[in-house]
Amino acid sequence: MEKYIEIDGNGVVYCPYCRQGRISYFILKNEGLDTYICEECDSTWFSIDDIFDDEKGQLLIPYLRSLGYAERITPEAWSRIAEDKGLLLVKDVEDVAEKMGVKIAYI
C-alpha cells in the first residue's frame, strides 16, 4: 500500500492518522523539545521523520502527564507549556517524504 501525506491548497500538512486536522509545530518550553501536534486528534510526534512512521505517534495529554504536567491543559496553561511556531508546511516535509518514499497528495 502506497503511503501519502495530505497537503491543502495553502501548503499545510494534515495528520496522517485522522486526516482531519492540520499539524502545528510547537516547542515544549521546559524540555526544549520540538513537538508536532494534530489540532483534531492530538496525535503528537517529536520530529518530522516521526510523522511518517506509523509507530511513533502518541497522544498529547498522556505524554504531558508523563512529563509531570498535572494541570488541566487550558489555553492559558498551554501558553506556559509550549511556544507556538505555526502550522507545518509542505516545504518543511518534502525532503523527509522523498527520503521515506511517501507521496505528497494535494487536497
Side-chain angles (χ1 to χ4, degrees), residues 28 58-74 81:
L28 295 183
Q58 54 186 294
L59 292 175
L60 177 63
I61 299 302
Y63 175 72
L64 290 176
R65 291 224 163 83
S66 77
L67 294 177
Y69 296 105
E71 64 187 298
R72 186 166 175 262
I73 308 299
T74 63
I81 294 169

Side-chain angles (χ1 to χ4, degrees), residues 73-98:
I73 308 299
T74 63
E76 295 78 25
W78 184 245
S79 68
R80 288 190 304 275
I81 294 169
E83 179 183 346
D84 186 349
K85 302 303 262 181
L87 294 167
L88 189 63
L89 301 174
V90 66
K91 67 179 181 64
D92 302 319
V93 302
E94 286 174 317
D95 291 343
V96 175
E98 184 177 338

Side-chain angles (χ1 to χ4, degrees), residues 9-105:
N10 295 315
V12 177
V13 178
Y14 276 69
C15 177
Y17 292 176
C18 74
R19 302 206 185 281
Q20 300 293 311
R22 301 173 303 176
I23 298 176
S24 293
Y25 170 40
F26 294 92
I27 295 178
L28 295 183
K29 292 177 182 178
N30 287 343
E31 292 73 22
L33 184 63
D34 289 346
T35 308
Y36 302 88
I37 303 168
C38 172
E39 67 185 0
E40 187 68 29
C41 70
D42 286 340
S43 290
T44 304
W45 305 269
F46 304 106
S47 74
I48 291 174
D49 288 35
D50 288 355
I51 295 169
F52 296 99
D53 185 328
D54 295 337
E55 303 296 319
K56 298 285 181 151
Q58 54 186 294
L59 292 175
L60 177 63
I61 299 302
Y63 175 72
L64 290 176
R65 291 224 163 83
S66 77
L67 294 177
Y69 296 105
E71 64 187 298
R72 186 166 175 262
I73 308 299
T74 63
E76 295 78 25
W78 184 245
S79 68
R80 288 190 304 275
I81 294 169
E83 179 183 346
D84 186 349
K85 302 303 262 181
L87 294 167
L88 189 63
L89 301 174
V90 66
K91 67 179 181 64
D92 302 319
V93 302
E94 286 174 317
D95 291 343
V96 175
E98 184 177 338
K99 174 179 78 172
M100 298 183 93
V102 175
K103 302 282 185 196
I104 293 176

